[in-house]
């Protein structure tokens, strides 16, 4: 499963039907302000298409993750313009029983670095105690 593919039946419940999905997803992204302007969201058959201008590659990635980690979305088509990434980032799909500490141990090598994962996903994970299996997270390069 790549960055743009997600589990449709899990995630944050933002909308009740697909007709209201674009407005709800747009509001969710704008409320958490990952740095995307002129955002346009379209949703058809569980596929969300995003367009707009991102201030950074990180803002683009967060908008994609915020959209894909929404219940009812199974993939994201990325048409957001953004500068090239200047940092090495990988992605992790949360497994059953994971915590940010465990994810940091697996990916960065030190559980105490869980705050780095939280900071890299601040707009994606509103509460660090509420992650769920199938959710995708940005993992920063080890410092």
């Amino acid at each position: 499963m790549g960055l743009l593919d997600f589990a449709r039946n899990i995630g944050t419940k933002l909308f009740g039907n697909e007709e209201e999905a674009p407005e709800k997803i747009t509001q969710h992204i704008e409320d958490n302000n990952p740095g995307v302007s002129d955002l346009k969201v379209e949703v058809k058959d569980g596929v969300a298409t995003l367009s707009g201008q991102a201030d950074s590659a990180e803002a683009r990635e967060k908008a994609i993750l915020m959209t894909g980690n929404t219940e009812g979305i199974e993939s994201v088509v990325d048409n957001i313009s953004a500068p090239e990434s200047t940092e090495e980032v990988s992605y992790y799909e949360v497994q059953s029983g994971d915590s940010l500490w465990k994810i940091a141990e697996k990916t960065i090598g030190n559980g105490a670095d869980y705050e780095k994962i939280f900071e890299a996903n601040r707009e994606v994970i509103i509460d660090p105690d509420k992650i769920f299996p199938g959710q995708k997270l940005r993992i920063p390069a080890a410092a």
Side-chain angles (χ1 to χ4, degrees):
M1 196 186 271
L3 172 60
L4 303 178
D5 296 321
F6 296 85
R8 185 175 187 164
N9 61 342
I10 58 131
T12 305
K13 184 156 180 67
L14 295 179
F15 56 88
N17 60 57
E18 202 164 84
E19 291 75 37
E20 64 184 27
E23 178 184 345
K24 298 292 186 175
I25 292 170
T26 299
Q27 190 66 48
H28 176 60
I29 292 170
E30 289 175 349
D31 286 350
N32 293 289
N33 193 16
V36 179
S37 57
D38 300 320
L39 178 65
K40 183 176 180 188
V41 178
E42 297 174 4
V43 177
K44 181 167 177 58
D45 298 328
V47 177
T49 302
L50 303 180
S51 59
Q53 179 65 44
D55 296 341
S56 65
E58 178 181 2
R60 178 185 147 268
E61 293 161 0
K62 288 180 179 182
I64 293 167
L65 289 171
M66 292 170 74
T67 301
N69 286 327
T70 299
E71 184 177 327
I73 302 299
E74 66 184 39
S75 64
V76 177
V77 176
D78 170 29
N79 292 328
I80 298 175
S81 299
E84 290 293 317
S85 181
T86 58
E87 66 177 320
E88 186 177 324
V89 175
S90 60
Y91 300 90
Y92 179 83
E93 185 173 326
V94 176
Q95 305 298 311
S96 181
D98 273 345
S99 65
L100 290 182
W101 185 282
K102 288 180 183 178
I103 294 168
E105 283 180 329
K106 291 178 193 177
T107 61
I108 299 175
N110 183 353
D113 285 336
Y114 75 92
E115 288 181 359
K116 291 179 183 178
I117 295 174
F118 178 66
E119 288 302 320
N121 292 278
R122 184 169 286 285
E123 295 85 353
V124 179
I125 308 170
I126 304 304
D127 181 340
D129 293 323
K130 294 184 180 176
I131 60 173
F132 51 86
Q135 184 177 27
K136 289 194 178 179
L137 304 174
R138 297 176 76 250
I139 306 298

